Amino acid sequence: MNQKKPPFTGHEKIRFNVPPFTGKEFAYMKEAVENQKICGDGEFTGRVSRWFEERTGTAKCLLTTSCTHATELAALLCDIRPGDEVIMPSFTFVSTANAFVLRGAVPVFVDVRPDTMNIDETLIEGAVTERTRAIVPVHYAGVSCEMDTILDVAARHGLYVIEDAAQGVMASYKGRALGTMGDFGCYSFHETKNYSMGEGGALLIREPKDVEMAEIYREKGTDRSKYFRGQVDKYRWQEYGSSYLPSDLNAAYLWAQLEQAEEINRQRLARWQEYYEMLTPLARQNRIELPSVPEGCVHNAHMFYLKTADEKECAALRAYLKEHDILAVSHYVPLHSAPAGKKYGRFFGEDRYTTKDSERLLRLPMYYGLTREDAAFVAEKVKAFYGA
Ligand SMILES: *Cc1c(COP(=O)(O)O)cnc(C)c1O
């Protein structure tokens, strides 16, 4: 569909994102309908879960209605309570914090490192108090946080680690898949992510002992998952819970992309690399900064961003690109500066990079189906803006 657009003319609008579509989605959705199983935990949900379990080595992958809901499930599983503190970056999506605020916890925001925009792992231990219960690293742009340090701090202080790996599907840290290193990992399959089902997500569970409660919270507080497997004769209300399982129709849409996962990843990485190479001369002249991928991290080209000198220049570049029909967009307004962040959370220590760098960060178009010519056109216009 969108991927099969006519040859580039130079006058076409280049969108920021186009939801992934490989061609088999409708056939699989039709199959789900013909299976007469369009509710949750049908054939395609099973296929998707097993695919992630086999690929990542996690004990269990439970498909959810969103990454937001996967994170809420993780907060329930960690038994987060009012007054507990949860350490996370402020430069993230609202859901990272909301999941814990809904349990009455206080998000404690720690500054990011400017090279990756991930939480600065060296500042985490200073933010730990006797009320701290968990650390939530967010793998920005599919580039891993420094997990060895984070897991070590967590182990020494008895804290849970919940990875917000919404952007991290198919990316890894020292050979381990993002989302599998913490007690829990959360993926997103929103239409803006590398692999999509419209709205959807997954909870990755590292320890087999946590699977039973996760299934109960996800199935309205019942042991219906066991009932479907024939392990109990009736399902009963066991605990509080909610409905976090997506329709099999959505899982069928996602399955079509997982079959093409390598190809999607390869193409995104190629575009990322082209942007990087074409913009390196500007970076060498210190006009812009480019993202960095630390040693040991394999990223997934979830996004390509650059940093301008300041907020004003960023807005001017964005407007200039828009004039040329290119949609480039900024990213998060830091949570600690937003109304709810002020009400529910607090920033630990000094905000050296979170605000300043978020204001000068601009994301360029990146999606499956973006052509080499499109990327070259975008890079040309960025260069033209700088008179290069
Ligand atoms: C996309 C995203 C989310 C939310 O994902 P949904 O599936 O839309 O709930 C959470 N955290 C981060 C870092 C994200 O990028």
Side-chain angles (χ1 to χ4, degrees):
M1 295 196 36
N2 281 312
Q3 274 73 20
K4 294 199 187 74
K5 53 188 186 177
F8 181 72
T9 59
H11 300 293
E12 194 177 352
K13 229 186 188 72
I14 300 182
R15 292 163 67 183
F16 172 69
N17 176 62
V18 174
F21 182 84
T22 64
K24 280 195 154 178
E25 282 83 352
F26 293 138
Y28 290 145
M29 291 174 84
K30 182 164 175 276
E31 201 179 315
V33 173
E34 285 163 0
N35 288 342
Q36 301 191 337
K37 178 93 179 167
I38 57 170
C39 68
D41 283 335
E43 169 68 26
F44 287 100
T45 304
R47 280 194 214 173
V48 167
S49 305
R50 282 191 299 277
W51 192 91
F52 281 111
E53 285 160 11
E54 281 161 21
R55 264 199 95 90
T56 67
T58 188
K60 190 81 185 171
C61 168
L62 293 179
L63 214 52
T64 58
T65 28
S66 62
C67 179
T68 301
H69 277 164
T71 315
E72 288 180 26
L73 267 174
L76 286 171
L77 288 158
C78 296
D79 194 23
I80 299 295
R81 297 181 174 229
D84 288 350
E85 293 178 358
V86 180
I87 295 172
M88 63 182 70
S90 171
F91 183 70
T92 183
F93 190 57
V94 294
S95 299
T96 318
N98 265 331
F100 302 94
V101 169
L102 279 168
R103 318 278 353 125
V106 178
V108 174
F109 302 115
V110 166
D111 207 7
V112 289
R113 358 185 312 186
D115 61 339
T116 56
M117 297 306 278
N118 283 335
I119 192 166
D120 184 337
E121 70 281 359
T122 65
L123 300 175
I124 293 174
E125 193 150 24
V128 174
T129 71
E130 72 248 19
R131 308 198 114 187
T132 308
R133 297 288 315 286
I135 305 171
V136 190
V138 178
H139 305 298
Y140 188 67
V143 176
S144 182
C145 296
E146 190 43 56
M147 290 306 290
D148 281 347
T149 307
I150 293 170
L151 293 167
D152 177 61
V153 172
R156 284 189 287 105
H157 294 274
L159 309 175
Y160 284 106
V161 173
I162 299 147
E163 295 177 71
D164 183 335
Q167 305 173 11
V169 179
M170 296 280 283
S172 63
Y173 172 79
K174 299 185 180 174
R176 289 176 285 172
L178 303 195
T180 64
M181 293 170 278
D183 299 84
F184 303 103
C186 307
Y187 282 168
S188 173
F189 305 117
H190 184 260
E191 73 165 33
T192 51
K193 301 305 200 285
N194 293 22
Y195 308 93
S196 181
M197 51 197 268
E199 299 278 356
L203 179 70
L204 273 59
I205 303 169
R206 190 185 64 200
E207 306 294 337
K209 68 169 172 54
D210 292 323
V211 173
E212 187 174 352
M213 275 317 292
E215 287 183 339
I216 289 172
Y217 288 139
R218 177 173 171 268
E219 261 285 16
K220 299 94 181 162
T222 74
D223 53 353
R224 196 175 183 179
S225 299
K226 276 189 170 167
Y227 171 72
F228 278 141
R229 289 194 293 265
Q231 293 165 327
V232 291
D233 62 335
K234 284 181 181 163
Y235 67 86
R236 295 174 174 83
W237 188 23
Q238 304 285 346
E239 248 309 337
Y240 47 75
S242 190
S243 187
Y244 293 117
L245 67 170
S247 160
D248 213 47
L249 281 168
N250 297 56
Y253 186 97
L254 176 61
W255 179 248
Q257 287 148 57
L258 296 186
E259 282 191 329
Q260 302 286 319
E262 297 294 346
E263 168 55 20
I264 292 173
N265 199 41
R266 189 200 59 72
Q267 195 200 81
R268 293 186 75 112
L269 285 165
R271 290 300 93 82
W272 195 97
Q273 196 60 34
E274 286 155 19
Y275 272 143
Y276 194 89
E277 282 161 20
M278 290 184 285
L279 294 173
T280 290
L282 274 186
R284 290 232 173 90
Q285 297 163 26
N286 294 321
R287 310 297 296 275
I288 59 169
E289 286 166 43
L290 294 178
S292 73
V293 181
E295 180 100 30
C297 299
V298 175
H299 75 112
N300 57 3
H302 172 62
M303 115 187 25
F304 191 94
Y305 66 85
L306 55 82
K307 286 185 197 162
T308 60
D310 54 28
E311 189 172 20
K312 210 170 139 227
E313 186 178 292
C314 193
L317 172 59
R318 185 179 176 174
Y320 178 84
L321 294 174
K322 190 148 188 244
E323 273 170 35
H324 291 89
D325 281 336
I326 297 165
L327 271 183
V329 296
S330 57
H331 216 175
Y332 311 122
V333 174
L335 299 184
H336 74 284
S337 62
K342 286 183 187 152
K343 187 153 64 168
Y344 298 117
R346 65 179 163 80
F347 199 93
F348 164 79
E350 194 193 340
D351 171 8
R352 283 183 70 196
Y353 298 109
T354 300
T355 299
K356 190 165 72 66
D357 279 33
S358 67
E359 287 172 350
R360 60 194 191 95
L361 183 149
L362 191 69
R363 294 177 293 159
L364 301 183
M366 174 59 81
Y367 51 85
Y368 176 57
L370 181 73
T371 64
R372 182 188 289 266
E373 292 75 16
D374 284 345
F377 180 71
V378 173
E380 271 315 308
K381 291 299 164 198
V382 172
K383 286 171 149 174
F385 173 80
Y386 285 100

